[in-house]
Amino acid sequence: MEKEIQVKSKKKEITLLQAIERVVELSEDSKMSPEFMKKAKTEIQLLAKSYGITDRQAVLFCVCMEKGPRRVDYDDLASYLDLNKIGVLSYASDIDALVRRRLLKFRDVKDEDDFDIPSVVIRYLKHNEVYQLPQRKGLDCASMFELLDQWFEDLDDDAISPHELCEELQSLFKDNPQVGFVKHLKEYCLSPNDQMMVSFFCHRLVNKDDDDIRFGDIEDLFDNISDFNRAKGELRTGEHKLQEKKIVEHRCVDGLADVTKYKLTENAKRILLAEMSICETEEKLADMLDASKLTQKQLFFPKDIQRQVEELGSFLQSENYQKIQERMKEKGFRNGFACLFYGSPGTGKTETVYQLARQSGRNIMVVDVPQLKSMWVGQSEKNVKALFDRYREQVKRAKLTPILLFNEADAIIGKRKSGAENAVDKMENSLQNIILQEMEQLDGIMIATTNLQENLDKAFERRFLYKIKFDKPTEEARASIWRSMIPDLSELDVRTLASKYDFSGGQIENIARHYAIDTILHGHSEDALPMLIRHCDNERLDDLRVRKIGF
């Protein structure tokens, strides 16, 4: 829960940080005197009211911010406020209250003399917002997982220790026995620490679409390295309690168990996450890419394509997207936005989606189209509906609407077969109709890429609001790509390659990779052009028609 604070003093509006700064300025050597409390009354009361704490606790919080925000102790408080070391201990109950309010945290649960300001509190302060303790009782399963998302993020930020989180989870489960997840988790008769690990696995699947857990992901769940190493050893050998209870299992790669990767069993998903409508096949159909982890890459387009991409990028920015959605609702138009990127292979369609997502901060739900296609027979409409259901859940839960990406979507947006008689053709037509219907009801952002636009079904074409054709780059664009891929090329070599070879950006990248390998193996050549021309000639697939293949 976020609350932005902006309160008027007698002179002007002040923010939380300004109030803290003023209290810090006046409190130094003040001995917490009545005169000081009166002088800083406006700022102290603003902070106390905002955070739901006492005036004295508000002052201590400010001093901890000044002396910290890391590794503050009672000696720091005594020195700053000009109090003796015995007298400052009388504030221990106030420190405890600030810890319960999560405005402070003890550095070591066994030693309550040192404390920090949690990172999450500082993060909120930067935006002039109060970090509020979330509602904890009477939750439904979705609300509980929203809380778990916040708590595990706090754990990752060192705002809470594993021991503290374990205690919080036990309290949460006790306060919400009505939630199916809690009921079924208790049926496994696990220790509190193992319940925390199960909660983490479920949180990663529900909140992050991640069912591929490594040892590095669970290390933060343990207070000390010895407990982590013990759990790691048990997991490797299959002797961990969660494996014995059939809750967690090794991931399989090419039919072999990978003892460094773990996932929830299908049975555990079905039992523990029944309220969250987690589809068993969902992990096979789509992966979630984190926008913050996408690598920045410069793309070069002809002016017309660049203009369209920039327009779409502007539309995807949070403020513009929200305004456009509101206006669409007012006009009675559909809220969903479907975009089609079409054109020759290697022209930057997929990479453009990644860069748009990175720039707008939107995660990408990438559909495994070949896998989806292969699962049509036998799994039928259930898989496609589950895929869109999952996307709708992500839209509701995410701060920024994610992008649903159908990459190389030729197989599912191609022309429907008229007069279909065999079972496979009928099934494909049926599923294409489902996708068309889902696009009509879409409340989000869908992007499809295809190399075969001439095979696009007219019904799909009408449903794409944005349609951008990605042509092969012009000579000028090719020159820019050569320069960016191989910066040490001379301008004459750049112009020679750009004019001689009508390559796409993907093809130029392939050649640049070959060249990089050559320089690693053989060192840099003073004249790189002959080597690059040889790679360019090899890149031309047309040569295969006249080349004799054999031994």
Side-chain angles (χ1 to χ4, degrees):
M1 182 180 179
E2 299 177 9
K3 182 170 63 175
E4 188 167 323
I5 305 299
Q6 200 168 41
V7 177
K8 289 184 178 181
S9 68
K10 293 180 180 178
K11 295 182 180 179
K12 61 178 181 178
E13 293 183 345
I14 58 173
T15 65
L16 290 170
L17 282 173
Q18 289 170 338
I20 292 172
E21 186 177 17
R22 179 65 174 160
V23 172
V24 166
E25 178 186 336
L26 295 174
S27 63
E28 187 172 10
D29 297 330
S30 68
K31 298 183 183 291
M32 295 283 272
S33 67
E35 292 78 15
F36 151 68
M37 299 295 286
K38 183 178 180 180
K39 195 171 184 179
K41 179 179 178 181
T42 300
E43 291 81 5
I44 292 172
Q45 289 187 348
L46 165 62
L47 295 166
K49 183 178 179 181
S50 299
Y51 286 106
I53 54 181
T54 67
D55 289 358
R56 191 162 74 168
Q57 290 162 11
V59 175
L60 293 172
F61 173 66
C62 293
V63 176
C64 288
M65 281 288 295
E66 173 66 16
K67 299 301 292 183
R70 296 286 181 266
R71 196 178 290 280
V72 185
D73 59 25
Y74 286 101
D75 286 345
D76 292 323
L77 298 179
S79 173
Y80 194 84
L81 295 170
D82 193 22
L83 297 169
N84 61 58
K85 295 182 180 181
I86 301 300
V88 80
L89 291 178
S90 66
Y91 298 122
S93 60
D94 294 299
I95 295 297
D96 289 341
L98 290 171
V99 170
R100 288 194 297 273
R101 177 58 183 80
R102 295 279 188 86
L103 297 177
L104 294 180
K105 74 181 186 71
F106 293 123
R107 294 185 62 85
D108 188 337
V109 294
K110 297 177 182 178
D111 181 2
E112 299 181 353
D113 289 337
D114 295 335
F115 25 89
D116 297 337
I117 304 286
S119 300
V120 65
V121 175
I122 298 171
R123 189 165 66 242
Y124 274 71
L125 265 174
K126 288 178 181 178
H127 300 285
N128 195 38
E129 295 169 352
V130 172
Y131 175 63
Q132 297 282 15
L133 288 175
Q135 178 67 32
R136 300 165 56 119
K137 294 185 178 181
L139 303 179
D140 58 18
C141 195
S143 299
M144 177 172 287
F145 273 95
E146 287 180 9
L147 187 54
L148 292 183
D149 189 31
Q150 181 175 328
W151 281 357
F152 281 113
E153 185 176 332
D154 288 351
L155 180 68
D156 190 49
D157 290 341
D158 295 325
I160 186 173
S161 71
H163 176 78
E164 290 169 330
L165 177 56
C166 191
E167 289 187 342
E168 293 281 19
L169 288 174
Q170 291 303 302
S171 176
L172 181 69
F173 297 156
K174 183 179 179 180
D175 289 340
N176 295 277
Q178 77 285 351
V179 176
F181 170 74
V182 175
K183 291 179 183 177
H184 295 303
L185 184 61
K186 290 188 176 298
E187 290 172 359
Y188 285 110
C189 300
L190 300 170
S191 69
N193 284 65
D194 285 342
Q195 287 185 357
M196 178 166 66
M197 189 181 294
V198 174
S199 299
F200 175 75
F201 271 76
C202 292
H203 143 73
R204 285 290 288 263
L205 178 57
V206 171
N207 292 319
K208 307 298 183 186
D209 275 321
D210 185 359
D211 200 19
D212 186 358
I213 307 300
R214 320 292 177 92
F215 288 130
D217 298 321
I218 65 171
E219 186 172 2
D220 287 343
L221 300 177
F222 298 87
D223 280 303
N224 56 70
I225 193 66
S226 60
D227 288 344
F228 168 61
N229 286 334
R230 186 182 306 110
K232 186 164 66 170
E234 292 173 350
L235 285 166
R236 282 183 180 277
T237 59
E239 297 174 347
H240 196 280
K241 182 67 72 175
L242 301 189
Q243 291 164 306
E244 293 176 358
K245 296 278 188 178
K246 309 293 185 187
I247 302 172
V248 167
E249 63 187 359
H250 290 122
R251 272 194 164 278
C252 287
V253 178
D254 297 328
L256 299 175
D258 186 334
V259 297
T260 66
K261 301 178 181 179
Y262 302 88
K263 63 186 282 289
L264 290 169
T265 64
E266 296 300 337
N267 189 56
K269 293 179 195 176
R270 201 161 38 241
I271 293 173
L272 291 169
L273 302 175
E275 295 157 297
M276 301 303 294
S277 302
I278 297 294
C279 174
E280 294 176 31
T281 63
E282 152 188 335
E283 63 165 318
K284 304 168 188 173
L285 301 179
D287 292 314
M288 186 65 78
L289 294 184
D290 187 336
S292 66
K293 296 180 181 178
L294 295 172
T295 303
Q296 183 176 359
K297 189 171 182 180
Q298 187 175 9
L299 300 175
F300 301 93
F301 299 117
K303 289 183 179 178
D304 184 53
I305 299 175
Q306 184 67 39
R307 178 187 59 77
Q308 295 178 76
V309 170
E310 288 176 355
E311 181 181 340
L312 182 56
S314 177
F315 158 72
L316 290 176
Q317 293 302 313
S318 179
E319 289 185 5
N320 293 336
Y321 179 77
Q322 187 174 354
K323 289 177 182 177
I324 292 170
Q325 274 215 320
E326 291 171 355
R327 184 65 58 86
M328 289 292 187
K329 289 178 182 178
E330 291 173 5
K331 298 288 185 181
F333 294 137
R334 296 194 303 270
N335 292 333
F337 296 93
C339 313
L340 179 69
F341 291 177
Y342 65 98
S344 304
T347 49
K349 298 183 294 296
T350 304
E351 189 60 48
T352 299
V353 180
Y354 291 167
Q355 294 307 310
L356 288 171
R358 186 189 61 79
Q359 293 164 12
S360 61
R362 300 181 186 277
N363 295 338
I364 310 176
M365 188 171 175
V366 185
V367 180
D368 188 341
V369 174
Q371 184 70 13
L372 181 65
K373 171 84 171 174
S374 69
M375 296 180 69
W376 278 3
V377 178
Q379 295 295 329
S380 69
E381 298 91 340
K382 176 182 175 183
N383 296 316
V384 179
K385 289 180 178 178
L387 181 70
F388 279 95
D389 285 343
R390 186 60 182 157
Y391 178 67
R392 275 188 284 272
E393 289 177 15
Q394 288 298 313
V395 170
K396 290 178 183 177
R397 189 159 49 240
K399 292 181 180 178
L400 292 175
T401 299
I403 296 169
L404 179 63
L405 172 60
F406 285 84
N407 203 22
E408 298 181 5
D410 314 279
I412 58 172
I413 62 174
K415 292 177 180 177
R416 287 169 291 176
K417 298 174 177 63
S418 58
E421 294 183 0
N422 66 61
V424 174
D425 288 346
K426 289 179 179 178
M427 180 69 70
E428 291 189 4
N429 282 353
S430 174
L431 291 171
Q432 284 180 306
N433 288 335
I434 291 173
I435 295 174
L436 286 167
Q437 182 180 357
E438 292 288 355
M439 289 178 71
E440 284 286 338
Q441 302 170 353
L442 182 70
D443 185 7
I445 304 162
M446 171 181 165
I447 300 180
T449 70
T450 177
N451 301 328
L452 304 173
Q453 66 273 17
E454 66 277 1
N455 194 41
L456 181 66
D457 192 286
K458 293 294 182 183
F460 281 101
E461 185 176 339
R462 289 193 299 272
R463 285 166 172 80
F464 287 111
L465 180 63
Y466 283 85
K467 292 179 276 288
I468 303 179
K469 182 180 181 181
F470 286 72
D471 293 315
K472 281 194 174 182
T474 61
E475 182 176 331
E476 191 60 39
R478 292 196 297 273
S480 297
I481 297 171
W482 280 112
R483 287 190 201 98
S484 68
M485 293 287 180
I486 311 177
D488 56 348
L489 276 181
S490 70
E491 187 61 24
L492 179 60
D493 289 350
V494 165
R495 290 295 174 183
T496 300
L497 293 168
S499 61
K500 183 178 176 65
Y501 297 99
D502 182 21
F503 282 156
S504 68
Q507 289 173 304
I508 295 174
E509 183 175 5
N510 275 346
I511 295 161
R513 291 170 64 196
H514 277 293
Y515 176 71
I517 292 171
D518 283 342
T519 57
I520 292 170
L521 294 176
H522 309 298
H524 284 277
S525 171
E526 292 185 5
D527 187 6
L529 188 59
M531 181 190 301
L532 287 168
I533 287 177
R534 185 171 67 252
H535 288 315
C536 288
D537 291 338
N538 289 337
E539 185 68 21
R540 284 176 162 168
L541 296 179
D542 288 345
D543 291 350
L544 293 175
R545 283 187 278 207
V546 296
R547 200 177 293 162
K548 184 176 180 181
I549 298 175
F551 297 94

